[in-house]
Each structure stands twice: as structure tokens, then as C-alpha cells.
């Protein structure tokens, strides 16, 4: 009977799958990241403008 995986093993598996998924999707991941960053920046600038 196998012992349950340790948290370090689970974390390394998660990172491995996440990296594989990022490489497979390629530019789409970067595009989504850029859109999210621009959206957050716009939100913060808008809030700063409204609350000045």
C-alpha cells in the first residue's frame, strides 16, 4: 500500500502540470495575463481619479 503524497510532492506535480499547460497554450496565456494586467491598471487609475 502506498503512502499518501507529501505536500511538496503535490506542489511539484501542480507546478509541472501548470508549466506544461502554459507551454502548450503558448501566446494565449501571455495574452490573458496582459489583458488582466491592463484591466487592473485601468481599474486602479479609474478609482484613483474618482476618489481624488
Amino acid at each position: 500500500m502506498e503512502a499518501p503524497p507529501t505536500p511538496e510532492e503535490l506542489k511539484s506535480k501542480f507546478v509541472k502540470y501548470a508549466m506544461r499547460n502554459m507551454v502548450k497554450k503558448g501566446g494565449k496565456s501571455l495574452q490573458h495575463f496582459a489583458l488582466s494586467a491592463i484591466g487592473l491598471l485601468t481599474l486602479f487609475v479609474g478609482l484613483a481619479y474618482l476618489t481624488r
Side-chain angles (χ1 to χ4, degrees), residues 7-42:
E8 286 80 24
E9 289 173 342
L10 289 175
K11 185 177 179 185
S12 68
K13 280 185 179 182
F14 175 76
V15 170
K16 183 174 74 172
Y17 290 133
M19 293 296 283
R20 184 186 301 163
N21 193 27
M22 246 177 76
V23 169
K24 189 166 53 171
K25 294 200 186 260
K28 187 167 279 201
S29 294
L30 291 175
Q31 183 183 13
H32 288 165
F33 176 76
L35 284 173
S36 299
I38 291 169
L40 277 174
L41 187 63
T42 304

